[in-house]
């Protein structure tokens, strides 16, 4: 009986724009962005579809809102901090957010009506790069390069056909059956992927370091090479 009462109390939580958007994130997390409709959102919240329109104008506003929620989960870089460590912090945080919400990868830069968290994020990132000494033009280049890498890696990671539990079995089968036909793939599999402790996610750190090293060289008066970032 106490459990039933608790459930009833939860169902009586009033609707709000925040609750509608959080519910939309839950639907998208569970079934992808294609599963998000006004009807499926209403089911998630236990309300009638028409009641949602008191808080959002329609699906476009919902998409604007949930993209802004994802941006709010990404650590803001600090314009007053070391630019490189701030960009690492931002990139790692963005990757984690996109792993939680893979449906957002193709939406992060697609909305024509960015919300306050989105605007704060962009402004803080631009401010950090400008504070590092990048010109306005180079700041634009650096921001585009970093985001292309972060979103691209997140998409690749989300699309991998194997999880960590099955990758070893799959790659061992590949080596056994196709090593003679594809020697370079077999070499990479045997000498890298099948080595103890292999984690595809480590490639993110290496690639990010290469990009940051290259960007560092474009800042006047900065050393030609920066150290690799530490493992996360």
């Amino acid at each position: 009986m106490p459990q039933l009462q608790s459930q009833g109390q939860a169902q009586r939580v009033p609707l709000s724009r925040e609750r509608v958007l959080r519910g939309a994130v839950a639907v998208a997390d569970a079934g992808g962005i294609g599963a998000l409709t006004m009807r499926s959102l209403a089911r998630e919240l236990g309300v009638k579809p028409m009641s949602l329109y008191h808080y959002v104008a329609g699906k476009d506003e919902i998409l604007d809102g949930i993209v802004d929620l994802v941006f709010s989960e990404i650590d803001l870089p600090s314009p007053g901090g070391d630019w490189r460590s701030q960009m690492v912090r931002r990139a790692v945080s963005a990757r984690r957010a996109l792993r939680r919400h893979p449906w957002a990868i193709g939406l992060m830069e697609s909305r024509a009506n960015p919300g306050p968290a989105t605007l704060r994020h962009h402004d803080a990132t631009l401010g950090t790069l400008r504070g590092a000494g990048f010109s306005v033009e180079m700041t634009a280049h650096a921001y585009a390069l970093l985001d292309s890498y972060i979103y691209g890696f997140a998409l690749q990671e989300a699309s991998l056909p194997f999880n960590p539990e099955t990758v070893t079995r799959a790659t061992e089968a590949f080596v056994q059956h196709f090593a003679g036909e594809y020697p370079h793939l077999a070499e990479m599999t045997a000498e890298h992927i099948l080595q103890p402790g292999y984690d595809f996610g480590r490639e993110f750190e290496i690639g990010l370091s290469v990009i940051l090293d290259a960007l560092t060289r474009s800042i006047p008066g900065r050393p030609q090479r920066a150290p690799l970032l530490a493992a996360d």
Side-chain angles (χ1 to χ4, degrees), residues 8-231:
Q9 290 173 346
Q11 292 172 356
R12 288 194 296 272
V13 175
L15 274 184
S16 65
R17 188 174 188 277
E18 175 76 9
R19 187 176 170 221
V20 168
L21 294 179
R22 294 290 178 187
V25 169
V27 172
D29 285 348
I33 202 67
L36 177 59
T37 64
M38 300 301 281
R39 191 171 297 277
S40 65
L41 177 55
R43 283 197 301 269
E44 171 72 19
L45 297 172
V47 300
K48 294 185 181 300
M50 288 304 298
S51 64
L52 301 175
Y53 291 97
H54 292 287
Y55 305 96
V56 291
K59 188 173 179 179
D60 276 344
E61 186 174 334
I62 290 173
L63 292 177
D64 290 340
I66 62 177
V67 166
D68 203 53
L69 284 178
V70 176
F71 267 110
S72 74
E73 296 181 13
I74 302 173
D75 293 339
L76 286 176
S78 173
D82 172 70
W83 78 274
R84 182 182 172 106
S85 63
Q86 292 301 314
M87 290 300 103
V88 170
R89 177 169 168 266
R90 169 186 177 264
V92 169
S93 179
R95 178 187 169 215
R96 287 174 177 162
L98 293 174
R99 290 178 74 180
R100 289 190 295 269
H101 312 295
W103 52 267
I105 296 171
L107 292 177
M108 296 295 278
E109 305 299 334
S110 70
R111 308 311 301 164
N113 299 298
T118 305
L119 295 173
R120 281 193 300 270
H121 180 93
H122 290 326
D123 192 68
T125 304
L126 292 170
T128 302
L129 293 171
R130 288 287 287 134
F134 291 103
S135 67
V136 171
E137 183 179 11
M138 195 60 205
T139 292
H141 297 334
Y143 203 169
L145 177 60
L146 287 165
D147 275 5
S148 295
Y149 177 72
I150 294 166
Y151 295 150
F153 192 94
L155 178 61
Q156 184 179 25
E157 197 168 31
S159 303
L160 289 175
F162 305 115
N163 58 42
E165 289 73 29
T166 61
V167 66
T168 299
R169 185 166 62 251
T171 51
E172 285 176 342
F174 171 84
V175 171
Q176 180 179 354
H177 295 291
F178 299 106
E181 190 173 357
Y182 305 106
H184 301 298
L185 283 172
E187 177 188 49
M188 177 63 65
T189 301
E191 298 187 19
H192 184 61
I193 297 174
L194 290 178
Q195 292 303 304
Y198 170 78
D199 177 9
F200 176 75
R202 283 281 297 168
E203 307 298 341
F204 183 76
E205 301 168 359
I206 302 302
L208 185 58
S209 287
V210 171
I211 291 171
L212 293 174
D213 286 346
L215 290 174
T216 298
R217 292 194 290 273
S218 71
I219 304 175
R222 290 298 180 98
Q224 290 298 298
R225 180 169 178 79
L228 291 177
L229 65 139

